[in-house]
Amino acid sequence: MLASTVLVTLLTGCSEKVEAAPELPARICWDAFASKEVSPLLPPGKEAEFDTYSMRPFFPVEESEYATCVLQIDGAASFTADARRVDFEELVDWTTWEKLGPAPIDAGKKGIVWHNGAASYIVCEPSKGPDTPGKYIDMSLYVHDLPKKGDRAEESRRIFTDLMKQFVAFTQKELKCG
């Protein structure tokens, strides 16, 4: 009797183990990304949901300062896509990512990628002078808990590079700039 109880417990434990990311809609985050392209970056889990800000349209009004999309897996933030409007190009600040050893990528005006994220920005309207604001869109993608080195990190950088190129193209189209 004890052996069958142990076997049932072991089998139940095995069936509970989740090894893949939960199923997602075909497109996520304002329909900017195909979930099949984001899924390899995601941790395994049972349930995926988007935070309430993610349900808002991409830059819902002209005066909006930002747009954000956070995909949570089993309650933890797992994938984040952000875009924010800044008035001057020098306000695009990536100093927080410098410690992660980013590499340049060809996305937007300037792009960078690291093991668990990427950033870029585009110019919608350049400043006409030092005191005249323009319209610059600073974008970032981020996934929590990815390895910093090895094959998985290299694959993540490749995926983030592709996703950032898509995010730049999406943003340019949506905001009619670039």
Side-chain angles (χ1 to χ4, degrees), residues 7 18 25 29 37 60 64 77 91 93 95 102-103 107 110 117-120 124 128 148 151 154 160 175:
L7 182 59
V18 179
C29 297
E37 294 174 13
S64 289
L91 295 177
D93 181 15
T95 54
K110 178 180 177 185
S120 182
C124 285
K128 293 179 180 42
K148 293 181 181 181
D151 292 342
E154 288 304 314
F160 275 118
L175 301 180

Side-chain angles (χ1 to χ4, degrees), residues 7-79:
L7 182 59
V8 168
T9 302
L10 286 174
L11 290 175
T12 303
C14 289
S15 67
E16 299 271 333
K17 188 174 182 182
V18 179
E19 296 195 18
E23 190 171 330
L24 299 170
R27 300 208 53 92
I28 62 170
C29 297
W30 317 287
D31 289 339
F33 308 105
S35 61
K36 69 180 180 183
E37 294 174 13
V38 175
S39 289
L41 298 170
L42 301 176
K46 294 180 182 177
E47 183 177 59
E49 63 183 3
F50 293 91
D51 73 356
T52 55
Y53 287 109
S54 304
M55 300 304 140
R56 292 176 48 194
F58 189 71
F59 284 95
V61 293
E62 180 62 29
E63 296 80 35
S64 289
E65 297 294 320
Y66 71 94
T68 189
C69 175
V70 179
L71 171 63
Q72 300 173 346
I73 297 184
D74 296 340
S78 297
F79 175 79

